[in-house]
Protein backbone atom coordinates (compact mmCIF):
# COMPACT_ATOMS: atom_id res chain seq x y z
CA UNK A 1 0.00 0.00 0.00
CA UNK A 2 1.44 3.36 -1.06
CA UNK A 3 1.70 5.94 1.71
CA UNK A 4 0.42 9.45 1.22
CA UNK A 5 2.84 12.32 1.85
CA UNK A 6 1.02 13.13 5.10
CA UNK A 7 1.24 9.52 6.31
CA UNK A 8 4.92 9.38 5.43
CA UNK A 9 5.62 12.54 7.43
CA UNK A 10 3.65 11.24 10.40
CA UNK A 11 5.29 7.83 10.35
CA UNK A 12 8.71 9.45 10.15
CA UNK A 13 8.13 11.12 13.52
CA UNK A 14 6.48 8.09 15.09
CA UNK A 15 9.40 5.88 14.06
CA UNK A 16 11.87 8.43 15.39
CA UNK A 17 10.04 8.51 18.71
CA UNK A 18 10.14 4.71 19.00
CA UNK A 19 13.87 4.74 18.27
CA UNK A 20 14.60 7.49 20.79
CA UNK A 21 12.44 5.91 23.47
CA UNK A 22 14.25 2.60 23.14
CA UNK A 23 17.61 4.30 23.75
CA UNK A 24 16.60 6.68 26.52
CA UNK A 25 18.12 6.40 29.95
CA UNK A 26 15.93 5.25 32.81
CA UNK A 27 13.29 7.91 33.40
CA UNK A 28 10.68 8.39 36.14
CA UNK A 29 7.36 6.69 35.52
CA UNK A 30 5.57 10.04 35.22
CA UNK A 31 7.84 11.11 32.35
CA UNK A 32 7.33 7.85 30.47
CA UNK A 33 3.56 8.09 30.92
CA UNK A 34 3.51 11.71 29.77
CA UNK A 35 5.62 10.96 26.70
CA UNK A 36 3.37 8.09 25.71
CA UNK A 37 0.26 10.24 26.05
CA UNK A 38 1.85 13.09 24.10
CA UNK A 39 2.96 10.98 21.14
CA UNK A 40 -0.46 9.31 21.03
CA UNK A 41 -2.15 12.70 20.94
CA UNK A 42 0.25 13.87 18.25
CA UNK A 43 -0.70 10.85 16.16
CA UNK A 44 -4.40 11.67 16.61
CA UNK A 45 -4.00 15.33 15.74
CA UNK A 46 -1.54 15.17 12.88
CA UNK A 47 0.15 18.31 11.63
CA UNK A 48 -2.14 21.30 11.09
CA UNK A 49 -3.06 22.39 7.59
CA UNK A 50 -4.40 25.65 6.20
CA UNK A 51 -7.89 24.15 6.51
CA UNK A 52 -7.46 24.60 10.26
CA UNK A 53 -8.70 28.10 11.16
CA UNK A 54 -5.80 28.68 13.57
CA UNK A 55 -3.33 27.90 10.76
CA UNK A 56 -5.27 29.43 7.88
CA UNK A 57 -2.45 31.74 6.82
CA UNK A 58 0.56 29.61 7.78
CA UNK A 59 1.45 26.55 5.75
CA UNK A 60 3.76 24.24 7.73
CA UNK A 61 4.29 21.68 4.97
CA UNK A 62 7.77 23.06 4.04
CA UNK A 63 8.89 22.27 7.60
CA UNK A 64 8.08 18.60 7.16
CA UNK A 65 9.92 17.95 3.91
CA UNK A 66 13.58 17.90 5.07
CA UNK A 67 14.73 14.81 6.95
CA UNK A 68 16.21 16.46 10.01
CA UNK A 69 18.44 14.39 12.25
CA UNK A 70 17.74 13.94 15.92
CA UNK A 71 20.27 15.46 18.31
CA UNK A 72 22.63 13.34 20.37
CA UNK A 73 21.55 12.44 23.89
CA UNK A 74 24.08 14.91 25.27
CA UNK A 75 25.13 18.31 23.92
CA UNK A 76 28.30 18.05 21.87
CA UNK A 77 31.10 20.59 21.77
CA UNK A 78 30.58 23.50 19.38
CA UNK A 79 32.30 26.77 18.61
CA UNK A 80 32.35 29.48 21.26
CA UNK A 81 28.98 31.11 21.95
CA UNK A 82 30.29 34.35 23.49
CA UNK A 83 28.85 36.45 20.67
CA UNK A 84 25.36 35.39 21.75
CA UNK A 85 25.74 36.18 25.45
CA UNK A 86 25.26 39.40 27.42
CA UNK A 87 27.56 41.03 30.00
CA UNK A 88 24.69 41.55 32.43
CA UNK A 89 24.02 37.79 32.60
CA UNK A 90 27.59 36.47 32.24
CA UNK A 91 27.27 34.61 35.55
CA UNK A 92 23.58 33.76 35.31
CA UNK A 93 23.22 31.87 32.07
CA UNK A 94 22.29 28.39 30.91
CA UNK A 95 23.25 27.32 27.39
CA UNK A 96 21.58 24.50 25.47
CA UNK A 97 22.79 22.96 22.22
CA UNK A 98 20.11 21.18 20.19
CA UNK A 99 17.87 21.26 23.25
CA UNK A 100 20.43 19.63 25.57
CA UNK A 101 22.28 21.34 28.40
CA UNK A 102 25.85 22.46 27.61
CA UNK A 103 27.64 22.96 30.97
CA UNK A 104 30.90 24.13 29.37
CA UNK A 105 29.18 27.33 28.19
CA UNK A 106 26.91 27.83 31.20
CA UNK A 107 27.68 29.80 34.34
CA UNK A 108 25.31 30.15 37.30
CA UNK A 109 27.87 31.37 39.84
CA UNK A 110 25.99 34.67 40.14
CA UNK A 111 22.67 33.06 41.07
CA UNK A 112 21.75 33.74 44.73
CA UNK A 113 21.58 30.83 47.15
CA UNK A 114 18.19 29.16 47.31
CA UNK A 115 17.27 29.97 43.70
CA UNK A 116 17.01 27.03 41.30
CA UNK A 117 18.48 27.68 37.85
CA UNK A 118 19.45 24.37 36.27
CA UNK A 119 18.53 21.79 33.65
CA UNK A 120 15.90 19.07 33.93
CA UNK A 121 18.36 16.22 34.30
CA UNK A 122 20.06 17.77 37.31
CA UNK A 123 16.92 19.21 38.91
CA UNK A 124 14.83 17.68 41.67
CA UNK A 125 12.44 15.44 39.72
CA UNK A 126 9.63 16.03 42.19
CA UNK A 127 9.92 19.75 41.46
CA UNK A 128 9.90 19.19 37.70
CA UNK A 129 6.94 16.81 37.84
CA UNK A 130 4.92 19.33 39.90
CA UNK A 131 4.88 21.87 37.07
CA UNK A 132 5.91 20.20 33.81
CA UNK A 133 3.14 20.24 31.15
CA UNK A 134 0.64 21.85 33.53
CA UNK A 135 0.25 25.01 31.41
CA UNK A 136 1.23 24.10 27.85
CA UNK A 137 -1.51 21.66 27.02
CA UNK A 138 -1.21 19.56 23.91
CA UNK A 139 -4.80 18.39 23.42
CA UNK A 140 -5.16 20.67 20.39
CA UNK A 141 -1.53 21.53 19.67
CA UNK A 142 0.40 18.98 17.61
CA UNK A 143 3.72 20.81 17.97
CA UNK A 144 3.40 21.05 21.76
CA UNK A 145 2.57 17.34 21.81
CA UNK A 146 5.66 16.62 19.73
CA UNK A 147 7.83 18.68 22.07
CA UNK A 148 6.41 16.95 25.16
CA UNK A 149 7.11 13.54 23.62
CA UNK A 150 10.67 14.29 22.48
CA UNK A 151 12.07 16.81 24.98
CA UNK A 152 14.78 15.10 27.01
CA UNK A 153 16.21 18.17 28.70
CA UNK A 154 15.30 21.76 29.37
CA UNK A 155 15.74 24.77 31.63
CA UNK A 156 14.03 25.08 34.98
CA UNK A 157 13.98 28.27 37.02
CA UNK A 158 12.35 28.37 40.46
CA UNK A 159 12.52 31.67 42.31
CA UNK A 160 11.56 31.20 45.97
CA UNK A 161 9.09 33.33 47.85
CA UNK A 162 10.16 36.95 48.26
CA UNK A 163 13.44 36.52 46.38
CA UNK A 164 14.62 39.39 44.17
CA UNK A 165 17.08 38.49 41.40
CA UNK A 166 19.06 41.54 40.33
CA UNK A 167 20.92 40.15 37.29
CA UNK A 168 18.92 38.91 34.30
CA UNK A 169 18.86 35.14 33.84
CA UNK A 170 19.75 34.18 30.26
CA UNK A 171 18.58 30.96 28.63
CA UNK A 172 20.43 30.52 25.32
CA UNK A 173 19.32 27.87 22.82
CA UNK A 174 21.61 27.03 19.90
CA UNK A 175 20.51 24.65 17.14
CA UNK A 176 22.90 23.17 14.61
CA UNK A 177 22.44 22.65 10.89
CA UNK A 178 20.11 19.83 9.82
CA UNK A 179 18.86 19.13 13.36
CA UNK A 180 15.37 19.06 14.86
CA UNK A 181 15.39 20.16 18.50
CA UNK A 182 12.70 20.48 21.17
CA UNK A 183 13.77 23.12 23.73
CA UNK A 184 11.76 23.27 26.94
CA UNK A 185 11.59 25.98 29.61
CA UNK A 186 9.84 25.93 32.98
CA UNK A 187 9.78 29.18 34.96
CA UNK A 188 8.10 29.39 38.37
CA UNK A 189 8.07 32.60 40.43
CA UNK A 190 6.74 32.04 43.91
CA UNK A 191 4.93 34.64 46.03
CA UNK A 192 6.58 38.06 45.80
CA UNK A 193 9.51 36.88 43.66
CA UNK A 194 11.00 39.34 41.16
CA UNK A 195 13.23 38.48 38.19
CA UNK A 196 14.09 39.19 34.56
CA UNK A 197 14.54 36.27 32.15
CA UNK A 198 16.03 36.41 28.65
CA UNK A 199 15.14 33.47 26.39
CA UNK A 200 17.02 33.56 23.09
CA UNK A 201 17.24 31.29 20.04
CA UNK A 202 20.21 31.53 17.68
CA UNK A 203 22.09 29.68 14.96
CA UNK A 204 25.78 29.22 14.19
CA UNK A 205 25.42 30.10 10.50
CA UNK A 206 23.07 32.07 8.25
CA UNK A 207 22.88 29.17 5.80
CA UNK A 208 21.89 26.58 8.41
CA UNK A 209 18.60 24.76 7.85
CA UNK A 210 17.04 23.22 10.96
CA UNK A 211 13.81 23.05 12.96
CA UNK A 212 13.36 24.41 16.49
CA UNK A 213 10.14 23.32 18.20
CA UNK A 214 10.04 25.08 21.58
CA UNK A 215 7.69 25.16 24.56
CA UNK A 216 7.90 27.53 27.54
CA UNK A 217 5.72 27.43 30.66
CA UNK A 218 5.57 30.37 33.08
CA UNK A 219 3.83 30.46 36.45
CA UNK A 220 3.73 33.71 38.42
CA UNK A 221 2.27 33.25 41.87
CA UNK A 222 0.70 35.94 44.04
CA UNK A 223 2.55 39.28 43.99
CA UNK A 224 5.32 37.89 41.75
CA UNK A 225 6.81 40.15 39.09
CA UNK A 226 8.44 38.63 35.99
CA UNK A 227 9.88 40.42 32.97
CA UNK A 228 10.39 38.05 30.05
CA UNK A 229 12.40 38.90 26.92
CA UNK A 230 11.99 36.37 24.12
CA UNK A 231 14.50 36.87 21.28
CA UNK A 232 14.04 34.72 18.18
CA UNK A 233 17.07 35.21 15.98
CA UNK A 234 17.22 31.94 14.08
CA UNK A 235 18.98 31.39 10.76
CA UNK A 236 17.10 32.98 7.81
CA UNK A 237 16.66 29.44 6.43
CA UNK A 238 15.53 27.77 9.67
CA UNK A 239 12.05 26.88 10.93
CA UNK A 240 10.82 27.94 14.35
CA UNK A 241 7.55 26.92 16.01
CA UNK A 242 6.97 27.84 19.65
CA UNK A 243 4.35 27.94 22.39
CA UNK A 244 4.56 30.06 25.53
CA UNK A 245 1.90 29.36 28.16
CA UNK A 246 1.58 31.68 31.15
CA UNK A 247 -0.50 31.39 34.32
CA UNK A 248 -0.79 34.44 36.56
CA UNK A 249 -2.13 34.42 40.09
CA UNK A 250 -3.58 37.36 42.06
CA UNK A 251 -1.66 40.66 42.12
CA UNK A 252 1.11 39.29 39.92
CA UNK A 253 2.79 41.22 37.13
CA UNK A 254 4.01 39.64 33.90
CA UNK A 255 5.62 41.60 31.06
CA UNK A 256 6.58 39.85 27.84
CA UNK A 257 8.60 41.41 25.01
CA UNK A 258 8.79 38.98 22.09
CA UNK A 259 11.13 39.85 19.24
CA UNK A 260 11.01 37.76 16.05
CA UNK A 261 13.65 38.42 13.40
CA UNK A 262 14.86 35.04 12.11
CA UNK A 263 13.44 31.98 10.41
CA UNK A 264 12.02 31.39 6.96
CA UNK A 265 8.83 30.18 8.67
CA UNK A 266 8.38 31.21 12.29
CA UNK A 267 5.37 31.07 14.59
CA UNK A 268 4.90 31.92 18.24
CA UNK A 269 1.73 31.21 20.23
CA UNK A 270 1.57 33.20 23.49
CA UNK A 271 -1.30 32.26 25.79
CA UNK A 272 -1.79 34.09 29.10
CA UNK A 273 -4.34 33.06 31.74
CA UNK A 274 -5.16 35.70 34.36
CA UNK A 275 -6.38 33.50 37.21
CA UNK A 276 -6.86 35.90 40.09
CA UNK A 277 -7.76 39.50 40.85
CA UNK A 278 -5.67 42.66 40.42
CA UNK A 279 -3.34 41.13 37.85
CA UNK A 280 -1.38 43.18 35.34
CA UNK A 281 -0.15 41.65 32.09
CA UNK A 282 1.76 43.32 29.26
CA UNK A 283 2.63 41.46 26.09
CA UNK A 284 4.47 43.49 23.47
CA UNK A 285 6.08 42.19 20.32
CA UNK A 286 8.16 43.23 17.33
CA UNK A 287 8.61 41.21 14.15
CA UNK A 288 10.87 42.17 11.26
CA UNK A 289 10.63 40.15 8.06
CA UNK A 290 12.46 40.49 4.74
CA UNK A 291 12.99 38.34 1.64
CA UNK A 292 10.38 35.57 1.65
CA UNK A 293 10.16 35.21 5.41
CA UNK A 294 6.84 34.26 7.01
CA UNK A 295 6.37 35.28 10.67
CA UNK A 296 3.18 34.39 12.55
CA UNK A 297 2.17 35.61 16.03
CA UNK A 298 -0.91 34.29 17.85
CA UNK A 299 -1.76 35.72 21.27
CA UNK A 300 -4.51 34.94 23.77
CA UNK A 301 -5.34 36.91 26.91
CA UNK A 302 -7.85 35.03 29.07
CA UNK A 303 -9.49 37.20 31.75
CA UNK A 304 -11.32 34.98 34.23
CA UNK A 305 -11.41 37.25 37.31
CA UNK A 306 -12.35 40.89 38.07
CA UNK A 307 -10.06 43.92 38.41
CA UNK A 308 -7.35 42.86 35.93
CA UNK A 309 -5.49 44.81 33.26
CA UNK A 310 -3.90 43.55 30.07
CA UNK A 311 -2.08 45.52 27.40
CA UNK A 312 -0.90 44.30 24.00
CA UNK A 313 1.13 46.15 21.38
CA UNK A 314 2.58 44.15 18.48
CA UNK A 315 4.41 45.95 15.69
CA UNK A 316 5.69 44.52 12.41
CA UNK A 317 8.08 45.77 9.74
CA UNK A 318 7.94 43.94 6.40
CA UNK A 319 10.08 44.38 3.31
CA UNK A 320 10.56 42.58 -0.02
CA UNK A 321 8.08 39.68 -0.36
CA UNK A 322 7.80 38.97 3.34
CA UNK A 323 4.53 37.95 4.96
CA UNK A 324 3.30 38.25 8.52
CA UNK A 325 0.30 37.05 10.49
CA UNK A 326 -1.08 38.49 13.71
CA UNK A 327 -4.05 36.92 15.46
CA UNK A 328 -4.78 38.33 18.90
CA UNK A 329 -7.65 37.21 21.11
CA UNK A 330 -8.93 38.74 24.32
CA UNK A 331 -11.46 36.71 26.32
CA UNK A 332 -13.35 38.43 29.15
CA UNK A 333 -15.25 35.70 30.91
CA UNK A 334 -18.49 35.99 32.84
CA UNK A 335 -17.87 37.67 36.16
CA UNK A 336 -14.60 39.33 35.10
CA UNK A 337 -15.98 42.82 35.75
CA UNK A 338 -13.80 45.96 35.76
CA UNK A 339 -11.45 44.42 33.23
CA UNK A 340 -9.26 46.84 31.29
CA UNK A 341 -7.89 45.20 28.14
CA UNK A 342 -6.22 46.96 25.24
CA UNK A 343 -4.89 45.35 22.08
CA UNK A 344 -3.22 46.98 19.07
CA UNK A 345 -1.35 45.63 16.06
CA UNK A 346 0.54 48.08 13.80
CA UNK A 347 2.36 47.13 10.61
CA UNK A 348 4.78 49.05 8.42
CA UNK A 349 5.19 47.81 4.84
CA UNK A 350 8.39 48.92 3.12
CA UNK A 351 7.55 47.12 -0.12
CA UNK A 352 4.44 46.84 -2.27
CA UNK A 353 5.03 43.07 -2.38
CA UNK A 354 4.97 42.63 1.42
CA UNK A 355 1.73 41.42 2.99
CA UNK A 356 0.20 41.05 6.44
CA UNK A 357 -2.94 39.29 7.67
CA UNK A 358 -4.08 40.79 10.97
CA UNK A 359 -7.06 39.82 13.09
CA UNK A 360 -7.47 41.33 16.55
CA UNK A 361 -10.44 39.81 18.39
CA UNK A 362 -12.53 40.51 21.51
CA UNK A 363 -14.96 38.11 23.18
CA UNK A 364 -16.66 39.75 26.14
CA UNK A 365 -19.10 38.00 28.48
CA UNK A 366 -19.07 40.51 31.36
CA UNK A 367 -20.44 43.98 31.96
CA UNK A 368 -18.61 47.05 33.23
CA UNK A 369 -15.37 46.51 31.31
CA UNK A 370 -13.06 48.70 29.21
CA UNK A 371 -11.80 46.85 26.16
CA UNK A 372 -10.39 48.04 22.86
CA UNK A 373 -8.65 46.51 19.90
CA UNK A 374 -7.37 47.66 16.54
CA UNK A 375 -4.96 47.14 13.69
CA UNK A 376 -3.20 49.31 11.14
CA UNK A 377 -1.31 48.47 7.96
CA UNK A 378 0.48 51.18 6.04
CA UNK A 379 3.64 52.58 4.52
CA UNK A 380 5.90 55.44 5.56
CA UNK A 381 4.02 58.72 5.58
CA UNK A 382 5.01 60.99 2.72
CA UNK A 383 4.51 64.15 4.78
CA UNK A 384 6.86 62.81 7.48
CA UNK A 385 9.48 62.00 4.84
CA UNK A 386 9.03 65.45 3.33
CA UNK A 387 9.45 67.09 6.74
CA UNK A 388 12.74 65.30 7.42
CA UNK A 389 14.04 65.99 3.91
CA UNK A 390 13.17 69.65 4.30
CA UNK A 391 15.50 69.67 7.31
CA UNK A 392 18.40 68.58 5.12
CA UNK A 393 18.30 64.80 5.54
CA UNK A 394 18.91 62.54 2.58
CA UNK A 395 15.92 60.38 1.51
CA UNK A 396 17.64 57.17 2.66
CA UNK A 397 18.43 58.64 6.07
CA UNK A 398 14.89 59.95 6.46
CA UNK A 399 13.44 56.51 5.71
CA UNK A 400 15.87 54.89 8.13
CA UNK A 401 14.95 57.29 10.92
CA UNK A 402 11.23 56.71 10.50
CA UNK A 403 11.66 52.95 10.31
CA UNK A 404 13.92 52.97 13.34
CA UNK A 405 11.41 55.06 15.26
CA UNK A 406 8.64 52.61 14.45
CA UNK A 407 10.65 49.69 15.89
CA UNK A 408 12.08 51.71 18.78
CA UNK A 409 8.63 51.96 20.34
CA UNK A 410 9.08 48.32 21.38
CA UNK A 411 12.86 48.05 21.68
CA UNK A 412 13.09 51.05 24.03
CA UNK A 413 11.04 49.13 26.61
CA UNK A 414 13.83 46.57 27.02
CA UNK A 415 15.73 47.48 30.18
CA UNK A 416 18.81 45.27 29.64
CA UNK A 417 21.17 47.68 27.90
CA UNK A 418 23.22 45.19 25.88
CA UNK A 419 20.07 43.47 24.60
CA UNK A 420 18.58 46.79 23.57
CA UNK A 421 21.72 47.90 21.75
CA UNK A 422 22.05 44.57 19.97
CA UNK A 423 18.46 44.71 18.74
CA UNK A 424 18.95 48.25 17.43
CA UNK A 425 21.87 47.04 15.33
CA UNK A 426 20.20 43.83 14.17
CA UNK A 427 17.02 45.55 13.02
CA UNK A 428 18.85 48.26 11.06
CA UNK A 429 21.28 45.75 9.51
CA UNK A 430 18.44 43.44 8.53
CA UNK A 431 16.66 46.27 6.76
CA UNK A 432 19.94 47.45 5.17
CA UNK A 433 19.48 50.85 6.74
CA UNK A 434 21.72 53.03 8.85
CA UNK A 435 21.50 56.23 10.80
CA UNK A 436 24.43 58.61 10.49
Amino acid sequence: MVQTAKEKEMNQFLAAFAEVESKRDAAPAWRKHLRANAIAQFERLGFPTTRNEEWKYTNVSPILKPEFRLPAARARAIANVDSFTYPESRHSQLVFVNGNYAPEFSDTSGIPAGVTVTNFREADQKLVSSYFATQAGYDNNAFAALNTAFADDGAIILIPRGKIIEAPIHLLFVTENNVISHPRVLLVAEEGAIATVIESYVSLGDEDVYFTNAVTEVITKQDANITHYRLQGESPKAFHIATTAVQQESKSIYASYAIAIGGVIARHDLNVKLEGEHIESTIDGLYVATGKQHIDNHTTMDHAYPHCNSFQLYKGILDDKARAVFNGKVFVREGAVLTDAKQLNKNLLLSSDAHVDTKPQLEIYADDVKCSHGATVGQLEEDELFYLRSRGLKPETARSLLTYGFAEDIISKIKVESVRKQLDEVVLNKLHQEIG
Side-chain angles (χ1 to χ4, degrees):
M1 183 176 179
V2 178
Q3 289 183 334
T4 65
K6 186 176 181 180
E7 289 172 337
K8 184 177 179 180
E9 292 160 356
M10 180 67 67
N11 289 336
Q12 173 185 331
F13 284 93
L14 297 176
F17 175 79
E19 179 184 351
V20 169
E21 195 71 355
S22 67
K23 296 178 180 178
R24 273 172 167 155
D25 298 335
W30 71 269
R31 286 293 296 273
K32 292 182 178 179
H33 179 70
L34 188 62
R35 288 168 177 165
N37 284 345
I39 199 67
Q41 185 62 12
F42 166 72
E43 186 174 9
R44 284 191 288 270
L45 291 171
F47 288 106
T49 70
T50 52
R51 291 191 296 273
N52 183 315
E53 184 64 28
E54 291 297 304
W55 294 84
K56 182 177 180 180
Y57 300 110
T58 300
N59 179 11
V60 301
S61 61
I63 301 175
L64 311 177
K65 291 177 181 178
E67 292 189 7
F68 298 112
R69 61 184 173 89
L70 293 167
R74 295 289 187 271
R76 73 176 189 84
I78 59 170
N80 199 302
V81 297
D82 281 352
S83 60
F84 303 119
T85 61
Y86 304 105
E88 295 92 337
S89 56
R90 180 67 67 186
H91 302 296
S92 54
Q93 69 180 26
L94 294 180
V95 179
F96 293 79
V97 178
N98 301 331
N100 293 314
Y101 179 56
E104 65 271 30
F105 299 123
S106 303
D107 183 348
T108 58
S109 61
I111 299 296
V115 178
T116 298
V117 178
T118 187
N119 66 311
F120 284 177
R121 289 177 178 148
E122 298 177 6
D124 182 305
Q125 291 305 298
K126 185 177 180 181
L127 172 63
V128 178
S129 66
S130 297
Y131 296 106
F132 188 85
T134 59
Q135 304 307 314
Y138 51 79
D139 287 348
N140 297 302
N141 188 328
F143 290 103
L146 200 63
N147 176 286
T148 304
F150 276 91
D152 270 335
D153 207 350
I156 179 167
I157 300 172
L158 173 64
I159 306 164
R161 181 175 184 173
K163 205 76 172 181
I164 299 175
I165 313 299
E166 298 291 346
I169 301 169
H170 184 197
L171 308 177
L172 173 61
F173 295 92
V174 183
T175 305
E176 294 181 286
N177 188 38
N178 199 35
V179 167
I180 179 172
S181 68
H182 301 278
R184 192 90 185 198
V185 175
L186 178 56
L187 167 59
V188 181
E190 293 188 337
E191 292 82 355
I194 301 175
T196 296
V197 176
I198 306 166
E199 178 186 351
S200 61
Y201 296 86
V202 302
S203 68
L204 299 175
D206 286 346
E207 296 297 314
D208 288 357
V209 180
Y210 56 87
F211 177 24
T212 302
N213 178 38
V215 171
T216 297
E217 297 177 286
V218 180
I219 299 171
T220 61
K221 298 194 175 182
Q222 185 170 330
D223 291 308
N225 187 336
I226 292 296
T227 301
H228 184 190
Y229 302 126
R230 189 181 194 281
L231 314 175
Q232 189 274 98
E234 304 276 27
S235 158
K237 296 186 177 181
F239 304 102
H240 183 97
I241 303 291
T243 296
T244 299
V246 182
Q247 180 195 55
Q248 289 188 253
E249 296 183 7
S250 296
K251 299 180 181 178
S252 66
I253 299 173
Y254 174 74
S256 166
Y257 302 93
I259 313 297
I261 294 175
V264 64
I265 296 177
R267 169 154 169 160
H268 180 216
D269 287 13
L270 173 55
N271 306 312
V272 183
K273 295 185 294 184
L274 291 78
E275 298 195 335
E277 296 191 26
H278 302 288
I279 290 172
E280 185 164 313
S281 188
T282 300
I283 58 171
D284 287 356
L286 173 68
Y287 45 96
V288 181
T290 59
K292 294 184 178 180
Q293 278 185 284
H294 180 107
I295 297 181
D296 183 344
N297 283 283
H298 273 57
T299 69
T300 301
M301 302 296 297
D302 191 345
H303 288 260
Y305 290 82
H307 305 285
C308 293
N309 303 327
S310 71
F311 309 100
Q312 297 182 61
L313 174 61
Y314 267 69
K315 303 186 80 171
I317 302 174
L318 285 74
D319 202 355
D320 305 320
K321 296 182 178 180
R323 183 166 184 172
V325 179
F326 175 81
N327 189 311
K329 298 178 183 177
V330 176
F331 292 102
V332 181
R333 299 189 182 275
E334 186 176 354
V337 296
L338 299 175
T339 290
D340 187 354
K342 296 180 175 63
Q343 179 190 82
L344 180 61
N345 175 229
K346 303 180 74 173
N347 296 276
L348 177 61
L349 306 185
L350 302 179
S351 163
S352 59
D353 293 323
H355 180 80
V356 62
D357 294 289
T358 179
K359 186 181 180 183
Q361 298 173 266
L362 292 177
E363 290 191 28
I364 302 173
Y365 302 98
D367 296 324
D368 197 10
V369 301
K370 293 192 298 182
C371 297
S372 64
H373 70 306
T376 64
V377 180
Q379 297 179 327
L380 293 174
E381 296 288 344
E382 289 298 330
D383 56 346
E384 293 178 346
L385 286 169
F386 176 79
Y387 176 83
L388 292 176
R389 291 183 64 187
S390 69
R391 295 302 185 270
L393 294 182
K394 296 179 180 179
E396 297 80 8
T397 304
R399 287 175 60 85
S400 295
L401 276 172
L402 292 175
T403 304
Y404 173 80
F406 186 87
E408 191 65 10
D409 196 17
I410 301 297
I411 295 175
S412 64
K413 297 179 182 181
I414 295 175
K415 302 307 179 186
V416 181
E417 183 179 3
S418 61
V419 174
R420 189 173 62 251
K421 287 183 176 179
Q422 180 197 67
L423 287 174
D424 280 338
E425 294 175 4
V426 168
V427 169
L428 288 172
N429 288 339
K430 183 177 177 67
L431 297 170
H432 304 294
Q433 299 183 14
E434 60 180 37
I435 298 174

